[in-house]
Amino acid sequence: MLKTMEAHSLSELIEVAHQAREEFNGQQLWFRGHAQEDWGLVPGAHRRSPILESQFTQHFRLHAPSIHSNCPEHKDYISWLPLMQHYGLPTRLLDWTESLVVAAFFAVSNSRVEKNAAIWFLAPGALNGESIGYIIPFLSDSRVIPVVEGAFSGRIDYEKQHAMSVLAPRTDRRMAAQLGNYTIHETREALDNHPQASNFLTKVIIPANARTKLMSDLSVVGVRRSLLFPDLSNLANEVSELEDFNWGVDNLT
């Protein structure tokens, strides 16, 4: 059975991470934050009709060169897929981070959500142990390429569907800041529904009434949006939220 734990603060979350790492025999962990605890581990392309995935990738490759100056070669699928994911196209990639605090930020940063959040812990080597062995290959690995190419061909091999943890170059400042990695999903089934999910996954619930506390903890340790999304737009939004706590007093005298 998939293990579920709970944390109410950053200190509790770190302690839970230590416990999880021990239970996974000291393996490296990746993390993913969800604003709502009931969201499953399903990449964007697999939440839509199967026929749309290859249409997404074909149309994106057709139109991107006219508006983006540094596009990959047309058949460089290995470079196209992370680029598409980075810019918000639904793909068969699912984002993970090596940083627990980055995942926590994504879980609780939306103040308009008042439900329980969740942070998933993944032992990437153990996931791959279910299919290709305890190794985390690059997206360009020969064992991964057929799954990458499937996103562009529209072909589905229902006998070989699985998910794998993979590495890809962090070619963008945002990807580097967020310490991002991926799982790539040939199957449309949620990763948390995998029959052996307890061998590589743990779910940590952040209760709704603890969201503010955890966000405050993250602020204290310097985790903020402009750090994870390093561009001028996010910097401007962050700076504009600064307040002069003497504003009322100064304007009443």
Side-chain angles (χ1 to χ4, degrees):
M1 174 182 268
L2 184 64
K3 186 169 184 178
T4 301
M5 296 187 280
E6 193 170 289
H8 299 80
S9 65
L10 183 56
S11 60
E12 289 186 9
L13 188 58
I14 292 171
E15 183 57 35
V16 166
H18 281 301
Q19 294 176 28
R21 191 166 186 177
E22 288 181 5
E23 291 173 4
F24 288 124
N25 299 315
Q27 293 182 59
Q28 176 190 15
L29 297 180
W30 293 355
F31 310 95
R32 179 176 172 84
H34 282 183
Q36 296 182 206
E37 67 165 311
D38 56 350
W39 291 352
L41 294 172
V42 182
H46 294 337
R47 300 179 198 138
R48 313 284 283 272
S49 169
I51 198 172
L52 289 175
E53 183 181 22
S54 61
Q55 292 184 16
F56 287 157
T57 57
Q58 303 299 353
H59 281 281
F60 193 95
R61 285 188 302 155
L62 177 64
H63 297 291
S66 66
I67 54 179
H68 186 72
S69 60
N70 194 28
C71 287
E73 294 294 323
H74 189 69
K75 291 188 177 182
D76 185 1
Y77 304 134
I78 294 165
S79 297
W80 273 113
L81 201 60
L83 183 68
M84 293 169 175
Q85 176 76 4
H86 176 66
Y87 281 99
L89 189 75
T91 76
R92 58 177 58 190
L93 294 176
L94 197 63
D95 295 291
W96 295 82
T97 174
E98 295 176 15
S99 169
L100 178 60
V101 294
V102 170
F105 180 88
F106 282 112
V108 301
S109 60
N110 190 340
S111 60
R112 292 172 294 185
V113 178
E114 299 179 350
K115 299 181 178 180
N116 291 352
I119 300 174
W120 287 96
F121 294 5
L122 170 70
L127 167 61
N128 289 357
E130 301 294 329
S131 56
I132 62 172
Y134 283 79
I135 185 173
I136 307 174
F138 282 94
L139 207 56
S140 56
D141 189 280
S142 60
R143 291 162 292 188
V144 184
I145 288 176
V147 187
V148 174
E149 292 178 342
F152 297 83
S153 68
R155 295 191 302 272
I156 300 175
D157 187 343
Y158 290 98
E159 296 298 320
K160 298 181 179 179
Q161 289 199 351
H162 57 278
M164 291 180 284
S165 307
V166 295
L167 303 173
R170 295 167 182 165
T171 55
D172 181 89
R173 285 183 302 168
R174 183 180 296 186
M175 295 164 66
Q178 296 174 12
L179 298 178
N181 293 318
Y182 304 104
T183 47
I184 185 167
H185 298 242
E186 191 172 22
T187 176
R188 297 177 62 83
E189 184 72 20
L191 186 60
D192 42 302
N193 288 338
H194 190 290
Q196 304 300 323
S198 61
N199 291 342
F200 53 80
L201 278 177
T202 293
K203 184 178 185 181
V204 181
I205 305 299
I206 310 298
N209 60 9
R211 295 175 69 105
T212 301
K213 166 62 175 169
L214 182 52
M215 193 63 197
S216 177
D217 289 348
L218 293 171
S219 178
V220 167
V221 299
V223 179
R224 54 191 183 274
R225 179 164 291 276
S226 64
L227 183 69
L228 305 182
F229 297 90
D231 56 48
L232 292 179
S233 176
N234 280 291
L235 176 61
N237 288 337
E238 184 175 290
V239 171
S240 69
E241 293 176 356
L242 294 175
E243 297 182 9
D244 180 353
F245 293 103
N246 293 318
W247 175 263
V249 175
D250 292 343
N251 285 274
L252 289 175
T253 57

PDB file of all heavy atoms in Angstrom, residues 1-5 19-20 23 120 197-198 201-204:
ATOM      1  N   MET A   1       0.845  -1.198   0.000  1.00  0.00           N
ATOM      2  CA  MET A   1       0.000   0.000   0.000  1.00  0.00           C
ATOM      3  C   MET A   1       0.879   1.247   0.000  1.00  0.00           C
ATOM      4  O   MET A   1       1.895   1.302   0.686  1.00  0.00           O
ATOM      5  CB  MET A   1      -0.918  -0.004   1.226  1.00  0.00           C
ATOM      6  CG  MET A   1      -1.727   1.280   1.377  1.00  0.00           C
ATOM      7  SD  MET A   1      -2.765   1.288   2.863  1.00  0.00           S
ATOM      8  CE  MET A   1      -4.275   0.628   2.188  1.00  0.00           C
ATOM      9  N   LEU A   2       0.475   2.258  -0.791  1.00  0.00           N
ATOM     10  CA  LEU A   2       1.231   3.500  -0.894  1.00  0.00           C
ATOM     11  C   LEU A   2       1.217   4.235   0.443  1.00  0.00           C
ATOM     12  O   LEU A   2       0.164   4.469   1.036  1.00  0.00           O
ATOM     13  CB  LEU A   2       0.611   4.382  -1.982  1.00  0.00           C
ATOM     14  CG  LEU A   2       1.331   5.686  -2.301  1.00  0.00           C
ATOM     15  CD1 LEU A   2       2.714   5.404  -2.858  1.00  0.00           C
ATOM     16  CD2 LEU A   2       0.526   6.506  -3.305  1.00  0.00           C
ATOM     17  N   LYS A   3       2.404   4.610   0.926  1.00  0.00           N
ATOM     18  CA  LYS A   3       2.493   5.267   2.222  1.00  0.00           C
ATOM     19  C   LYS A   3       2.157   6.744   2.106  1.00  0.00           C
ATOM     20  O   LYS A   3       2.620   7.433   1.196  1.00  0.00           O
ATOM     21  CB  LYS A   3       3.889   5.101   2.816  1.00  0.00           C
ATOM     22  CG  LYS A   3       4.007   5.650   4.234  1.00  0.00           C
ATOM     23  CD  LYS A   3       5.314   5.245   4.892  1.00  0.00           C
ATOM     24  CE  LYS A   3       5.364   5.719   6.333  1.00  0.00           C
ATOM     25  NZ  LYS A   3       6.613   5.298   7.010  1.00  0.00           N
ATOM     26  N   THR A   4       1.358   7.255   3.050  1.00  0.00           N
ATOM     27  CA  THR A   4       1.002   8.665   3.111  1.00  0.00           C
ATOM     28  C   THR A   4       1.376   9.207   4.481  1.00  0.00           C
ATOM     29  O   THR A   4       1.072   8.606   5.507  1.00  0.00           O
ATOM     30  CB  THR A   4      -0.509   8.872   2.879  1.00  0.00           C
ATOM     31  OG1 THR A   4      -0.855   8.341   1.595  1.00  0.00           O
ATOM     32  CG2 THR A   4      -0.871  10.353   2.906  1.00  0.00           C
ATOM     33  N   MET A   5       2.060  10.362   4.483  1.00  0.00           N
ATOM     34  CA  MET A   5       2.440  11.024   5.722  1.00  0.00           C
ATOM     35  C   MET A   5       1.895  12.455   5.719  1.00  0.00           C
ATOM     36  O   MET A   5       1.210  12.874   4.780  1.00  0.00           O
ATOM     37  CB  MET A   5       3.956  10.995   5.887  1.00  0.00           C
ATOM     38  CG  MET A   5       4.513   9.574   6.028  1.00  0.00           C
ATOM     39  SD  MET A   5       6.273   9.499   6.435  1.00  0.00           S
ATOM     40  CE  MET A   5       6.992   9.774   4.825  1.00  0.00           C
ATOM     41  N   GLN A  19      12.972  10.481   6.864  1.00  0.00           N
ATOM     42  CA  GLN A  19      12.348   9.181   7.078  1.00  0.00           C
ATOM     43  C   GLN A  19      12.160   8.441   5.755  1.00  0.00           C
ATOM     44  O   GLN A  19      12.447   7.242   5.645  1.00  0.00           O
ATOM     45  CB  GLN A  19      10.998   9.351   7.771  1.00  0.00           C
ATOM     46  CG  GLN A  19      11.064   9.886   9.187  1.00  0.00           C
ATOM     47  CD  GLN A  19       9.683  10.110   9.765  1.00  0.00           C
ATOM     48  OE1 GLN A  19       8.717   9.441   9.398  1.00  0.00           O
ATOM     49  NE2 GLN A  19       9.577  11.070  10.669  1.00  0.00           N
ATOM     50  N   ALA A  20      11.678   9.177   4.767  1.00  0.00           N
ATOM     51  CA  ALA A  20      11.435   8.557   3.464  1.00  0.00           C
ATOM     52  C   ALA A  20      12.730   8.049   2.850  1.00  0.00           C
ATOM     53  O   ALA A  20      12.776   6.955   2.274  1.00  0.00           O
ATOM     54  CB  ALA A  20      10.756   9.561   2.537  1.00  0.00           C
ATOM     55  N   GLU A  23      13.666   4.846   4.383  1.00  0.00           N
ATOM     56  CA  GLU A  23      12.803   3.748   3.954  1.00  0.00           C
ATOM     57  C   GLU A  23      13.124   3.296   2.533  1.00  0.00           C
ATOM     58  O   GLU A  23      12.874   2.146   2.173  1.00  0.00           O
ATOM     59  CB  GLU A  23      11.340   4.168   4.086  1.00  0.00           C
ATOM     60  CG  GLU A  23      10.900   4.310   5.543  1.00  0.00           C
ATOM     61  CD  GLU A  23       9.505   4.898   5.693  1.00  0.00           C
ATOM     62  OE1 GLU A  23       8.853   5.133   4.663  1.00  0.00           O
ATOM     63  OE2 GLU A  23       9.081   5.101   6.840  1.00  0.00           O
ATOM     64  N   TRP A 120       4.836  14.952  -3.439  1.00  0.00           N
ATOM     65  CA  TRP A 120       5.192  13.562  -3.752  1.00  0.00           C
ATOM     66  C   TRP A 120       6.698  13.385  -3.651  1.00  0.00           C
ATOM     67  O   TRP A 120       7.463  14.238  -4.111  1.00  0.00           O
ATOM     68  CB  TRP A 120       4.737  13.208  -5.166  1.00  0.00           C
ATOM     69  CG  TRP A 120       3.263  13.039  -5.306  1.00  0.00           C
ATOM     70  CD1 TRP A 120       2.352  13.977  -5.728  1.00  0.00           C
ATOM     71  CD2 TRP A 120       2.514  11.849  -5.036  1.00  0.00           C
ATOM     72  NE1 TRP A 120       1.090  13.442  -5.736  1.00  0.00           N
ATOM     73  CE2 TRP A 120       1.154  12.142  -5.319  1.00  0.00           C
ATOM     74  CE3 TRP A 120       2.856  10.572  -4.602  1.00  0.00           C
ATOM     75  CZ2 TRP A 120       0.149  11.189  -5.169  1.00  0.00           C
ATOM     76  CZ3 TRP A 120       1.856   9.622  -4.450  1.00  0.00           C
ATOM     77  CH2 TRP A 120       0.521   9.941  -4.737  1.00  0.00           C
ATOM     78  N   ALA A 197       3.744   0.897  -6.687  1.00  0.00           N
ATOM     79  CA  ALA A 197       4.015   2.294  -6.356  1.00  0.00           C
ATOM     80  C   ALA A 197       4.687   2.469  -5.002  1.00  0.00           C
ATOM     81  O   ALA A 197       5.518   3.368  -4.815  1.00  0.00           O
ATOM     82  CB  ALA A 197       2.721   3.109  -6.404  1.00  0.00           C
ATOM     83  N   SER A 198       4.360   1.621  -4.029  1.00  0.00           N
ATOM     84  CA  SER A 198       4.939   1.764  -2.689  1.00  0.00           C
ATOM     85  C   SER A 198       6.448   1.529  -2.689  1.00  0.00           C
ATOM     86  O   SER A 198       7.137   1.906  -1.741  1.00  0.00           O
ATOM     87  CB  SER A 198       4.270   0.798  -1.711  1.00  0.00           C
ATOM     88  OG  SER A 198       4.461  -0.545  -2.120  1.00  0.00           O
ATOM     89  N   LEU A 201       7.318   5.456  -4.348  1.00  0.00           N
ATOM     90  CA  LEU A 201       6.574   6.694  -4.099  1.00  0.00           C
ATOM     91  C   LEU A 201       6.141   6.814  -2.640  1.00  0.00           C
ATOM     92  O   LEU A 201       5.777   5.828  -1.998  1.00  0.00           O
ATOM     93  CB  LEU A 201       5.303   6.749  -4.964  1.00  0.00           C
ATOM     94  CG  LEU A 201       5.390   7.202  -6.413  1.00  0.00           C
ATOM     95  CD1 LEU A 201       4.005   7.098  -7.056  1.00  0.00           C
ATOM     96  CD2 LEU A 201       5.943   8.618  -6.539  1.00  0.00           C
ATOM     97  N   THR A 202       6.148   8.047  -2.141  1.00  0.00           N
ATOM     98  CA  THR A 202       5.537   8.401  -0.866  1.00  0.00           C
ATOM     99  C   THR A 202       4.804   9.722  -1.060  1.00  0.00           C
ATOM    100  O   THR A 202       5.292  10.606  -1.773  1.00  0.00           O
ATOM    101  CB  THR A 202       6.596   8.560   0.250  1.00  0.00           C
ATOM    102  OG1 THR A 202       7.179   7.294   0.533  1.00  0.00           O
ATOM    103  CG2 THR A 202       5.975   9.105   1.526  1.00  0.00           C
ATOM    104  N   LYS A 203       3.643   9.854  -0.434  1.00  0.00           N
ATOM    105  CA  LYS A 203       2.844  11.078  -0.547  1.00  0.00           C
ATOM    106  C   LYS A 203       2.792  11.767   0.811  1.00  0.00           C
ATOM    107  O   LYS A 203       2.497  11.141   1.829  1.00  0.00           O
ATOM    108  CB  LYS A 203       1.428  10.725  -1.020  1.00  0.00           C
ATOM    109  CG  LYS A 203       0.525  11.922  -1.278  1.00  0.00           C
ATOM    110  CD  LYS A 203      -0.830  11.427  -1.779  1.00  0.00           C
ATOM    111  CE  LYS A 203      -1.742  12.571  -2.179  1.00  0.00           C
ATOM    112  NZ  LYS A 203      -3.063  12.077  -2.651  1.00  0.00           N
ATOM    113  N   VAL A 204       3.090  13.061   0.817  1.00  0.00           N
ATOM    114  CA  VAL A 204       3.048  13.852   2.046  1.00  0.00           C
ATOM    115  C   VAL A 204       1.951  14.899   1.922  1.00  0.00           C
ATOM    116  O   VAL A 204       1.972  15.737   1.001  1.00  0.00           O
ATOM    117  CB  VAL A 204       4.404  14.535   2.316  1.00  0.00           C
ATOM    118  CG1 VAL A 204       4.336  15.342   3.616  1.00  0.00           C
ATOM    119  CG2 VAL A 204       5.520  13.503   2.389  1.00  0.00           C
TER     120      VAL A 204
END
